Amino acid sequence: MVTKLRAAGAYDVISHGAAWRDADTYLREHVMPYYEGATIYCPPFDHPDIWTGNSTVMHEIASQMPNGDAPDVIICSVGGGGLINGICQAMDSISMTTPTILAVETAGAESLAASLSAKEIITLPKITSKATSLGCARVTDKTFTYSQRSNVRSVVLPDGVAAMGCWRLADDERMMVELACGVNVALCYDGRLEKALGRPVKPDDKVVIVLCGGSNVTSGMLCDWRQEYQHIVDKELELERRDSAYTSAEASPKTAPTVPSELAMPVIEGIEIGSLAVRA
């Protein structure tokens, strides 16, 4: 990212700290106060102007929906909350209330899910997720307020599953995105969407996935992620399939046929919805 910023014409790029909060504090306390010229601070997510800019994506989605229908499901990732704030703001302005919003985070950067679980805004002690674009230890107050609406669900997936979303999107659609975006795509593979919604996905459901970023990714990174996480994802999925087959057999009458494990709907482990943890 630093290389791309310099290529775009940046005079200098200061990189500081392990996460966004470190860089933000350093900028406010050690760079801007001592700079001799004028300074302009552009927050990445915590400002109404940012939310308004992000809201335009929802207006575009609404204008492109067939027959003017509303989406049934909107999937977006959450870092500090600027994107979901814009989506909710736009939905309010056009009186769109029916879509279920799935607010997706990676484990190790789940500041929204942690706040919902605690029933108050909390600050994560540190960010451990590799999805650096989601690496915000605290969501905005507005994000916490929006997330308590009945149509918003918080979902947390591990980095390995987010990486799987990246390489499968590249395989299926020839599009490269970073982990913060791949986590949205991952929710639509291997039964995770049904688990997050708590219901089957109907053939006529209109599901919108917000592909929110692809700058911090290369083909080499995709290959590295596949090598690092492929066996982990495959192993977890196989365990989920076995557990699903076992649970189905136990819950069914003794006279009912046993569902073959390769055909059974996988039970997805590691999804957190709001303050509830779904486990196999």
Side-chain angles (χ1 to χ4, degrees), residues 198-214:
R199 65 168 177 81
V201 176
K202 297 174 289 187
D204 58 347
D205 274 343
K206 297 173 286 294
V207 179
V208 174
I209 309 171
V210 181
L211 299 182
C212 54

Side-chain angles (χ1 to χ4, degrees), residues 122-248:
I122 66 171
T123 301
L124 297 179
K126 63 179 180 179
I127 300 296
T128 58
S129 171
K130 292 184 179 180
T132 53
S133 296
L134 301 184
C136 184
R138 184 183 180 94
V139 295
T140 72
D141 293 347
K142 194 69 172 179
T143 304
F144 185 67
T145 299
Y146 279 138
S147 66
Q148 296 179 73
R149 293 184 174 183
S150 60
N151 66 322
V152 179
R153 293 191 174 200
S154 171
V155 180
V156 178
L157 296 174
D159 280 352
V161 172
M164 177 275 296
C166 293
W167 77 62
R168 290 184 70 169
L169 182 66
D171 288 344
D172 295 342
E173 302 295 338
R174 301 298 186 265
M175 297 177 64
M176 293 199 312
V177 296
E178 60 189 81
L179 291 173
C181 179
V183 72
N184 294 343
V185 181
L187 193 59
C188 295
Y189 286 111
D190 303 321
R192 293 181 181 85
L193 182 55
E194 290 87 349
K195 206 67 179 179
L197 291 172
R199 65 168 177 81
V201 176
K202 297 174 289 187
D204 58 347
D205 274 343
K206 297 173 286 294
V207 179
V208 174
I209 309 171
V210 181
L211 299 182
C212 54
S215 297
N216 190 22
V217 65
T218 64
S219 58
M221 292 167 70
L222 287 175
C223 292
D224 291 342
W225 292 338
R226 190 192 294 262
Q227 183 176 6
E228 180 178 1
Y229 293 115
Q230 177 81 68
H231 69 286
I232 299 175
V233 174
D234 289 346
K235 182 178 180 180
E236 289 179 351
L237 185 57
E238 179 59 29
L239 290 174
E240 289 159 0
R241 285 172 175 159
R242 291 177 182 176
D243 290 345
S244 179
Y246 174 80
T247 303
S248 299

Side-chain angles (χ1 to χ4, degrees), residues 53-111:
N54 289 335
S55 73
T56 60
V57 70
M58 194 64 234
H59 289 289
E60 292 179 19
I61 290 169
S63 69
Q64 294 173 20
M65 292 299 297
N67 303 317
D69 296 336
D72 295 289
V73 182
I74 300 171
I75 303 173
C76 71
S77 54
V78 177
L83 176 59
I84 193 172
N85 288 1
I87 288 175
C88 290
Q89 177 180 309
M91 290 175 62
D92 288 347
S93 69
I94 58 179
S95 300
M96 182 184 289
T97 60
T98 56
T100 297
I101 301 174
L102 297 179
V104 191
E105 298 172 286
T106 51
E110 70 277 29
S111 52

